[in-house]
Amino acid sequence: MAHELPALPYDYAALEPHVDATTMTIHHTKHHQTYVNNLNGVLDKFPELKDLGIVDLNKAVGTDKLPKDAATIIRNNGGGHYNHSFFWKIMTNPSNTNGPSGEVKAAIESAFGSVDEMQTKFNAAAASRFGSGWAWLGVKADGTLAIESTPNQDNPLMAELSGTAAMTPILGLDVWEHAYYLKYQNRRPEYIAAWWKVVNWEQVADNYAAAKAGTVPV
């Protein structure tokens, strides 16, 4: 089964002025497409892996389920494909974002004391990630929320390798320079602050419900 670049659930300018249309176009059609192409390329050489979905491929990273000759390519490109497929869906036009509510808000307040405190800790994880990587909010095995940061295209599904707490992501932020440099240059904290204004909290709530039910959102 070949992997495909998913269509965005909005147009490239929908996140303006916080995430610019040029960045979104390049990020989606160039960077994400390259991860898909590279992943399909390695899976063509290992057809026994083609029936694994993107979640299972990411969970297999760092285990003996992946052939050594394929492991690094799948880690980088399978991670990139999963991470970006997840990332596009948790953003929306700024007019549609109203902050967390319901069960996900209650879970955030239980874990961090307040939504503001969660955002402060998340921002710190995103801003302090050296080089390229991601910041994540996820549900741990005990049902509580935690924040993690991963390098490159790693994610918490790769717990065997990444050194992070095993958890199911419900919110994630790309802090690779290609995600923000055209608009924000080296001002990563400014990009992080602006990004909260396009978070799709309804999708985060759906992700939380899925994670609680034992399903990994894509």
Side-chain angles (χ1 to χ4, degrees):
M1 177 180 65
H3 294 270
E4 297 181 353
L5 181 72
L8 295 184
Y10 39 75
D11 64 47
Y12 290 117
L15 309 182
E16 294 272 10
H18 309 295
V19 182
D20 62 284
T22 302
T23 293
M24 284 299 298
T25 302
I26 297 170
H27 199 172
H28 180 245
T29 66
K30 302 299 183 183
H31 291 280
H32 191 173
Q33 183 67 69
T34 297
Y35 294 127
V36 172
N37 293 346
N38 290 342
L39 179 61
N40 285 330
V42 73
L43 294 180
D44 283 342
K45 299 175 183 177
F46 296 92
E48 69 274 17
L49 300 176
K50 283 194 171 184
D51 289 336
L52 291 178
I54 192 60
V55 169
D56 288 332
L57 279 173
N58 275 260
K59 286 185 173 181
V61 170
T63 75
D64 58 8
K65 295 179 182 178
L66 297 182
K68 289 183 179 179
D69 291 345
T72 298
I73 298 174
I74 291 174
R75 176 183 183 178
N76 292 335
N77 294 281
H81 181 32
Y82 173 83
N83 293 351
H84 286 87
S85 299
F86 179 93
F87 185 53
W88 309 135
K89 292 177 67 176
I90 57 166
M91 297 187 291
T92 188
N93 184 276
S95 64
N96 297 331
T97 182
N98 298 307
S101 60
E103 290 186 358
V104 72
K105 182 181 180 182
I108 289 170
E109 291 174 340
S110 175
F112 302 100
S114 68
V115 173
D116 286 345
E117 184 61 21
M118 180 277 291
Q119 290 183 341
T120 296
K121 291 184 182 328
F122 189 98
N123 292 353
S128 63
R129 165 52 56 190
F130 183 77
S132 302
W134 292 74
W136 304 94
L137 176 69
V139 179
K140 297 191 297 183
D142 63 4
T144 61
L145 295 180
I147 290 169
E148 294 284 358
S149 172
T150 56
N152 302 314
Q153 293 298 348
D154 288 2
N155 58 60
L157 300 181
M158 303 176 182
E160 292 291 334
L161 187 67
S162 67
T164 64
M167 66 182 194
T168 302
I170 64 169
L171 180 68
L173 175 59
D174 187 347
V175 292
W176 282 62
E177 286 188 345
H178 64 237
Y180 63 87
Y181 205 83
L182 289 180
K183 182 175 179 66
Y184 296 99
Q185 289 81 53
N186 64 327
R187 305 187 304 277
R188 185 190 287 185
E190 185 178 335
Y191 157 69
I192 296 167
W195 174 78
W196 288 108
K197 298 175 183 176
V198 298
V199 170
N200 184 345
W201 285 104
E202 290 186 5
Q203 183 63 54
V204 176
D206 289 346
N207 291 348
Y208 177 69
K212 291 281 284 184
T215 302
V216 177
V218 177

